[in-house]
Amino acid sequence: MKSTYLCFDLGTSKIKTALFDDKGNILYFSQVGLDIHTRGNIIFQDPNECYGAVLKEIQIIKDKD
């Protein structure tokens, strides 16, 4: 049975997504930029934006099959 591994790197300015096969070959890779929000002197990211980006990447990968 062939295995694949889906990985996410949730960084400060972007989310990286990769899908690897069981031999370590990259089957899919993308980088999605994230907005940085400010409120006064507070800098933050919207967790809903991160969640939505991850769901969108999963859907893109599903649609490729």
Side-chain angles (χ1 to χ4, degrees), residues 8-61:
F8 295 97
D9 175 6
L10 296 134
T12 304
S13 61
K14 64 181 91 172
I15 294 176
K16 296 177 200 159
T17 303
L19 180 68
F20 297 93
D21 66 14
D22 54 357
K23 295 183 180 177
N25 298 307
I26 298 172
L27 304 174
Y28 175 84
F29 179 80
S30 76
Q31 298 181 45
V32 176
L34 297 171
D35 293 329
I36 305 234
H37 306 279
T38 58
R39 188 174 300 137
N41 61 355
I42 298 171
I43 300 171
F44 64 97
Q45 291 174 294
D46 181 357
N48 291 319
E49 181 183 359
C50 296
Y51 181 69
V54 168
L55 290 180
K56 183 176 178 182
E57 288 297 305
I58 291 169
Q59 189 63 51
I60 290 169
I61 292 168

